Amino acid sequence: MTLIDGRAIAAAITAEVTETAAKLRESGTAPTLAVLVPTDDDATAWYVRSIERAAKKVGVDCRVVQLEKPTGEDVTRELDKLSADPAVHGIICQTPLPEGVTLDDVGAHIDPRKDVDGANPVSLGRLAAGLSTYAPATAAAVLEILKREQVALSGAQVAVVGRSTVVGKPAALLLLGENATVTVCHSRTKDLAAVTKTADVLVVAVGRAHFVGVDHVKPGAVVIDVGTNPTPEGGLVGDVDQAAVESIAGSITPVPGGVGPVTTSLLLRHTVTAAQA
């Protein structure tokens, strides 16, 4: 079995983004990503700091907007302001959101031209229609990894486990765009293993540690593990039991070091693309 090196893929993307960002700066445009943070959650704060570090390396300005105990109206008001600001090219809104508020509620307040993480329902609709848009970065990372690994997708059988609008659904749409035959599975799929066992490519995004085991994987399959589940020891494990499936899978993304780094690099690439536009 081969471990897919997400950090190496991210480094290659970062090099490309750095070059494009430098050219934009030379022409007088400073690519700028605004990160709205409506929470004091420690995990969110850690992730935002990682985005800031990554942005600095590639020449993207990162503007963090911290809101203290906001209401839903506070969040949408700030997103409207950022959408109207010509100096801002990309916008992402962190979670958790205020109680009773969902990303669907606030995502519509992000200008689709700046919606670099595909939070606006318009972005998902354009993706479904095969139109130009920014897909959610994690879903885009799934396809990016498969392409960089030169996995043949046209005509391939692909199973996506998870149907969220953040990963599962957009990943399925992106894979359909590559002419794969895609089955979307979820918590009510009967005999899940019977479905996933037929897949040449298995994408798992359910948010449950070690949910997928050896019985779910076709021999030689490419497994993309999107899960990031914290352990009591402070580490992270995926949705796939890597130790169990390594004897049968052809290749797999590790956790950490797989999908995560590629996701961050694509957020920055989307921002630079938006600045170019």
Side-chain angles (χ1 to χ4, degrees), residues 48-218:
V48 171
R49 287 194 296 270
S50 72
I51 293 175
E52 288 183 285
R53 288 193 298 270
K56 185 176 181 180
K57 287 181 181 178
V58 302
V60 170
D61 292 347
C62 187
R63 183 192 302 181
V64 177
V65 181
Q66 180 78 50
L67 299 181
E68 300 297 334
K69 298 181 180 179
T71 64
E73 287 185 358
D74 294 331
V75 175
T76 56
R77 186 183 306 113
E78 194 61 42
L79 290 174
D80 287 337
K81 286 171 57 179
L82 293 171
S83 291
D85 187 343
V88 171
H89 305 107
I91 302 169
I92 58 176
C93 182
Q94 293 299 293
T95 57
L97 291 162
E99 188 174 351
V101 179
T102 68
L103 196 56
D104 290 336
D105 297 328
V106 302
H109 291 264
I110 300 176
D111 185 333
R113 295 169 299 178
K114 302 182 180 186
D115 185 23
V116 293
D117 202 18
N120 192 320
V122 170
S123 300
L124 188 60
R126 291 183 64 86
L127 184 62
L131 300 174
S132 175
T133 191
Y134 300 110
T138 304
V142 171
L143 184 61
E144 188 76 22
I145 289 167
L146 292 170
K147 284 188 170 183
R148 298 263 177 172
E149 290 295 298
Q150 299 183 325
V151 176
L153 293 173
S154 183
Q157 295 286 337
V158 178
V160 178
V161 186
R163 53 178 171 176
S164 73
T165 55
V166 177
V167 185
K169 288 178 182 176
L173 290 168
L174 289 168
L175 290 160
L176 282 171
E178 298 298 318
N179 299 314
T181 300
V182 182
T183 302
V184 179
C185 309
H186 46 80
S187 59
R188 297 188 182 182
T189 299
K190 293 181 179 178
D191 197 355
L192 177 65
V195 179
T196 60
K197 195 89 172 181
T198 67
D200 304 306
V201 177
L202 177 58
V203 180
V204 189
V206 293
R208 293 174 61 181
H210 292 170
F211 180 73
V212 164
V214 67
D215 292 339
H216 296 85
V217 179
K218 177 182 178 179

